[in-house]
Every structure is written in C-alpha cells, then in structure tokens.
Amino acid sequence: MRLFSARMGLTILAMTAVVLCVALAAPRGSECEAQQSASDPVAPELTIDLPAPAKPGKPAAVKSRPAARVDDATIVGGSPDGAAETAAPQAAPAKPARKSAPTAGKAAPATDGDRAPTPFDSSPAAEAAASQPALSALPAAQPEKAPTPFDPSQVKPPVAAAAASASAKPAPVVFPGSPISSGSKVKQARNEEARSTASTAPRRIGEMTVGALFPLTGANQARGQAAQAALELAKQDIGDYFAKVNAAGGLAILIEDTQSSPKVALERLKGLLVRGVRVVIGPDFDDELAEVREFAKANGMLLLSPGSAGPFLTKKEGEFYRFAPMNTHQAEAVAGLAAQEGVDALVPIWEGDLYGDELVVHLKAHFRNMGGTVLAGVRYRQGAAQFAGYLTDLKAQIAQAQKQFKKIAIYFAGREGIAAALKEAAALGLTAYRWYGCDNTALSPELTRDEATAALVQTARLVSPRYGETETEVYGALEKRIQEKTKEFPAAECVVAYDVAWLVAVNGLACAGLDNFDAFRAALPATAERFRGVSGWMALDDNGDRREDWGYDFWSIKKDNSRYYWEKFARYQFQPGGTKQFFINNPE
C-alpha cells in the first residue's frame, strides 16, 4: 500500500476554501435551470470512428517501468512519483502505484495511513498544458476540447450572482488542491476570503435524499458490498464537509439490494420512487441498468451509474449518466497491447451475449485500424461448461492462419468459463499461444483457486485488462478505507461510486438542494465538467458517458518460488486533453 505524506493534512484543512466557489459561483435554484438546457441530446446510433494510423504495422515503442508485484503478503515496486496535491501531475508516473490484490481467497493486508481527504479538482486544461506525454502505442485520437480554466476574479459576490444574466455559463466547481485555486498569493488571499465568508454565510439546502441500487447479495455481491462501503464513507465525509463550511443540510442515501437480478433491481427502483426518491446512484451493471431505464425515463428519475460500460446502452434520453469508461475502450486497450507485442492475427473465443459480442466487434475494428487481423473465431453459448468442441474449431482456424501470419494470439471474452477453457485448451496444445482476456478474467478468483489452474494461466501468458486506479495518494487512502470495511480489494467502480455521491452533493449545493429536480438534472453535466474526484475528472461526453481520464491495468499471474501471485503487467492511460499511452513493466 502507499505511504502518505504530511501534505495530506494540508489538503484536508484546505477543504473550507471550496464554499465560495461552490456557493457563490454556481447558480441557485431556478437560475441553475435557466442557464442550461433541461434535456440531454439523443445519442446517435452506435458507430465506430477511429483515427487512421500513419501506416499499418507495429506501433512505436513505448516506455517501460518496473513491475508492481502484488500478492496477499508481498508488494514489490515503487511509490507514485507525484502526490495528489501537486500542481501539475505528470502525464504518466514513472512507476506504477503500489497495489494489494487478493489471491486464493485472501484479502490484501491494510497498512497505516491518513484518512482520505475529500475530492479535489485540478483544471484539466492546466494539466494538459503542463503534461509532456510519453510515446504513444496507438495513433493519437483528437482529444475533446478541455474546459476553460477557472478564473477566481470572475467569482461574483452574492448580490452580483443573483443579478447575473440567465444566459451566462455556469461557473466551474473548484476543490482544494487545485493549482488554479491556490497557485498564487492573490488566489490564496481570495481563498482566505472564501473561508471567512463561508463561516458566516450558511446555505440552507435541507437534507438531500437519494437512492442507490447495488447487488449486496448474489453473483455480484463482492462489488456491490464494496460500493456500499464507499457510499457510507462518502455520506460521512460529505456530512463532515457540510458542517465545516456551515452548509445546513446533508446527504441521505437509501441503499437497496438488487440481489444481482435485473428484475429485482426494477422492483427496488419502483419502491424508491414510492418513497419520493428521484435521483438514484446505480445500477452498477449493464443488465440491471437496461432493465430499469425505461421505468426511470417514464417516471422522471435520474440514474447515475458508476459501473455500467456496455456500448449498447450509449443511446439515451437523459434518464441516466455513466461514469466508468465504455467497453469499447477496453477492446481498444487489448488491441493496442497485442499490436505493441507484434501480434499480427488474433483469434477470439467469446461468450454469446451482448457483453462478448460488443467486445469482439470493437476489438476487430481497433485491431484492423492498427494493421492487424482478427479471424472469425468461435462464439460459445452462454453458461457453457464444456469447451472441447469450440476449441477444436479454434485450433483448426489457427492451423490455417499459420500459413499467412507470423504471430497469432487468442482473445477470450466471457463472464465465466476461463478456467475450464484453459484446461481444455492445454490438452489441444493451445496454451502455447499468448492469451488476452477481458475485465472479467482480471484478478478472477476462478484462476487462483488451485495451483494447477494458476500454472495454466502462467503457461498461456494470459493478461487481462481491468478498469485501473488513479496513481495518487488520495486514491490509495480511500481504497484502504474501503478495504478495511470489506476485507476485500475494491474495484475501481467502487471508488467511482464514492465520487458520484460527492457529485450529487456538490450539484445539490449549487442548485439549493433537490427540490427543483429539473434544475438539478440540467445542471449536472456542467458540474461534472468541472468536477475532479478521487477517480479523476468526471466530465461527460455528448452521450452522457465518461469522456476521458481513465486507464486500464493489465494483470497477469507470476510465480515466485512455489507461490503464484498477480502482477500488474502494463497500463493503458487516457488523461484529459492528452494522448493515449501504454506503459509496459516487463516487455516480453
């Protein structure tokens, strides 16, 4: 786990500086509604628009960095180069963050550390200007325009803010720790004035009550329980913050168990509506969100999902927003790593559902754009337990492809079945090829239950992407707090749930609570545009999905003497306003 600097305490003390920027710069009540459109744009049909490479073939070389070796007792690797409070974070740290991941059912140990400070903001535009991107393994996509940096001189006193034009753009939300808010003596003086004003001018917004839909039982209970712990911590931290800035009110979160069932999720959402709840954090999974979206739209509810990533849900009409990177980016990350490693042909085997189908469609598009080829592959039925027939077909395709391609690898995309597939693949000699997995195979307990399975994973050199952590001290502090409550290594989506709760609180503070629901919903995209949480910048694209500032960590199983452990093999990062970059620990 990470070591924490004394600067963390300064960040916590600086929390009182935020209220002037939130309370005075942001519009209130009906003004908030008037300044933005009350309806979100309807997303276009799902398309794949990729930049053309300069020329087909192997991408340029990338930086490598030391491995962050992780098991249930030993962590070997460097600490992050930049602390969370630094004015200009590096485009990509030189060393991976220290992580603690479970193996063979054991939870990673907790270490001593300071309590996590509340979310902070860094201007995405300032970060982009200060960062020097490393060599990119992929053709650089054109980044979306970053927002204009916040100018403290534009903050109006209460009387001026009330008289501002209804057509004016909403002011950004700035949190302590931002170089924009504390980079000069003039700005520091204004922050001192903000603290003084905050302590004498309470805002009475009342208690804001929101719902939450997460699987606390069933197949997905591990992630659901970690998200519940994150929301409980968020509620506590938000309450402490409101008390510090003298904002009368708080955030109440009514957490409902979906039991990992889309049908139950719908019933729980109906129950929340009966209780007067219209803003809901969740659902966290694609199938649950797909089940409840029509009811939410018909009844004027707003869903804020920290984990849904299926591209098939991109088209929406303002009934939900999503704050995890889409699975198309996961497919892009796999394609990029394969191209970087010199693979010229991929053969997929995938589960026959929307999850598997979409990953393979996007993998084909991205890998083709990089000069590679994706063969027909094999689509297996949902819930399959036997893979011999499918793998025999796969082997025949590989034998034929060897006449044309020099380096062939296998791609697996499925919710379950990877352990059984590898065992049967070994009997056919298919573990001699490099295997790439999906986010369901990364850190999967299915692969560490016994030594024989772990050995197969290592033989096949399986590497799998997983939505990655931000390499900052504030992330590590929150991750530690969640782990202390659950005794499990939390997924990044659970940290996003914490951020979403803060986004609701900040947006509610700007709009004088949740009583004016239309104003709250209309203001949320603009608040997200200026909001940086523990997981990073929360800005949304035109479809209402997370736009950038995300990364994927690739995990593999290694052996040290007689012990198998998970190791972070590589990272694929997309920072605000920057290029997409690969960092490989130990290139093979």
Side-chain angles (χ1 to χ4, degrees):
M1 301 300 289
R2 298 176 175 84
L3 298 177
F4 305 105
S5 71
R7 290 179 295 175
M8 298 282 288
L10 297 177
T11 302
I12 298 173
L13 292 176
M15 286 307 303
T16 53
V18 71
V19 71
L20 185 62
C21 300
V22 175
L24 303 183
R28 302 176 67 169
S30 59
E31 294 176 36
C32 185
E33 182 180 14
Q35 291 176 359
Q36 304 187 48
S37 171
S39 61
D40 295 302
V42 177
E45 294 296 331
L46 178 63
T47 58
I48 302 174
D49 184 14
L50 302 174
K55 58 182 180 179
K58 183 177 179 180
V62 300
K63 288 184 177 180
S64 64
R65 53 182 178 173
R69 190 178 71 186
V70 178
D71 63 12
D72 61 329
T74 306
I75 303 174
V76 179
S79 60
D81 282 352
E85 310 91 57
T86 52
Q90 297 293 320
K95 300 177 182 178
R98 299 185 184 188
K99 288 290 152 228
S100 175
T103 59
K106 294 183 179 179
T111 60
D112 292 334
D114 297 330
R115 176 176 173 139
T118 46
F120 62 93
D121 171 86
S122 288
S123 166
E127 288 188 6
S131 300
Q132 295 296 326
L135 295 175
S136 175
L138 296 179
Q142 292 297 323
E144 302 208 25
K145 185 177 180 181
T148 303
F150 174 61
D151 181 0
S153 66
Q154 299 302 311
V155 176
K156 299 178 177 62
V159 175
S165 169
S167 61
K169 293 183 179 180
V173 177
V174 177
F175 286 89
S178 167
I180 302 300
S181 65
S182 59
S184 69
K185 292 183 179 180
V186 173
K187 293 171 184 175
Q188 290 170 5
R190 287 182 176 135
N191 283 338
E192 290 298 331
E193 180 183 352
R195 274 190 283 272
S196 175
T197 305
S199 64
T200 58
R203 298 195 64 184
R204 299 188 177 279
I205 60 173
E207 185 172 67
M208 298 180 289
T209 300
V210 301
L213 293 175
F214 288 91
L216 307 181
T217 57
N220 301 319
Q221 66 179 20
R223 195 163 109 183
Q225 291 170 2
Q228 179 185 30
L231 290 178
E232 291 170 352
L233 291 171
K235 180 180 182 298
Q236 174 185 335
D237 294 345
I238 291 167
D240 292 345
Y241 169 70
F242 275 27
K244 286 181 181 178
V245 300
N246 204 16
L251 184 68
I253 306 176
L254 307 179
I255 303 176
E256 295 288 343
D257 179 14
T258 67
Q259 300 175 20
S260 303
S261 165
K263 298 298 183 184
V264 174
L266 179 57
E267 293 305 313
R268 296 293 184 265
L269 184 65
K270 291 177 179 178
L272 288 170
L273 181 63
V274 170
R275 299 166 71 177
V277 174
R278 298 182 68 185
V279 178
V280 177
I281 301 172
D284 201 32
F285 291 86
D286 291 340
D287 54 355
E288 294 180 9
L289 183 58
E291 181 72 22
V292 306
R293 61 177 300 186
E294 289 301 325
F295 179 85
K297 181 170 64 175
N299 291 276
M301 304 181 77
L302 178 62
L303 309 176
L304 306 173
S305 176
S308 171
F312 74 96
L313 289 169
T314 296
K315 188 174 181 179
K316 57 183 74 72
E317 298 177 22
E319 69 272 24
F320 64 88
Y321 295 110
R322 299 191 292 176
F323 296 92
M326 298 300 97
N327 280 340
T328 178
H329 302 308
Q330 180 188 157
E332 176 186 340
V334 173
L337 181 58
Q340 176 62 34
E341 293 185 325
V343 174
D344 53 2
L346 284 169
V347 190
I349 174 170
W350 74 98
E351 190 168 5
D353 59 4
L354 274 173
Y355 172 80
D357 290 344
E358 287 192 321
L359 280 175
V360 171
V361 165
H362 287 281
L363 178 77
K364 288 181 177 180
H366 286 291
F367 198 54
R368 186 185 306 119
N369 190 65
M370 298 171 194
T373 299
V374 179
L375 305 182
V378 178
R379 185 177 189 262
Y380 66 87
R381 64 175 177 81
Q382 288 182 257
Q386 303 294 324
F387 291 87
Y390 301 115
L391 291 169
T392 299
D393 187 357
L394 198 76
K395 183 177 181 179
Q397 292 184 36
I398 292 175
Q400 184 66 26
Q402 284 176 330
K403 301 174 183 178
Q404 181 180 356
F405 302 102
K406 294 181 179 180
K407 189 171 183 179
I408 300 172
I410 298 170
Y411 173 66
F412 180 92
R415 300 183 188 278
E416 296 178 337
I418 180 62
L422 283 174
K423 289 177 182 178
E424 297 186 44
L428 295 171
L430 293 177
T431 52
Y433 298 91
R434 164 73 117 175
W435 283 60
Y436 297 97
C438 57
D439 58 346
N440 280 312
T441 60
L443 301 179
S444 170
E446 184 181 2
L447 298 177
T448 55
R449 285 199 183 112
D450 58 78
E451 187 172 316
T453 302
L456 280 176
V457 174
Q458 188 183 23
T459 300
R461 295 172 296 145
L462 173 70
V463 291
S464 305
R466 170 180 163 123
Y467 180 19
E469 306 89 347
T470 60
E471 298 180 337
T472 60
E473 290 182 354
V474 67
Y475 190 104
L478 178 60
E479 187 177 63
K480 170 182 175 292
R481 295 172 67 198
I482 296 173
Q483 190 171 340
E484 286 175 342
K485 291 175 71 71
T486 64
K487 309 306 178 186
E488 296 287 345
F489 183 69
E493 290 85 352
C494 304
V495 175
V496 176
Y498 176 93
D499 284 344
V500 171
W502 265 99
L503 180 62
V504 169
V506 169
N507 197 54
L509 189 62
C511 294
L514 299 179
D515 290 342
N516 191 336
F517 173 77
D518 291 337
F520 177 91
R521 178 165 60 182
L524 193 133
T527 302
E529 183 74 19
R530 301 298 194 271
F531 184 92
R532 177 163 180 152
V534 178
S535 66
W537 188 25
M538 302 285 280
L540 299 165
D541 62 17
D542 291 340
N543 297 323
D545 297 326
R546 189 167 192 147
R547 189 166 72 216
E548 48 194 328
D549 200 5
W550 44 259
Y552 284 94
D553 294 328
F554 283 85
W555 294 88
S556 63
I557 287 182
K558 300 294 182 182
K559 185 178 182 180
D560 184 4
N561 296 324
S562 61
R563 189 175 195 173
Y564 291 91
Y565 59 92
W566 286 103
E567 179 184 74
K568 188 184 293 185
F569 172 79
R571 182 172 177 84
Y572 182 61
Q573 180 68 42
F574 184 24
Q575 291 185 310
T579 57
K580 298 173 182 178
Q581 308 159 68
F582 258 112
F583 300 91
I584 301 178
N585 291 333
N586 296 303
E588 296 186 356

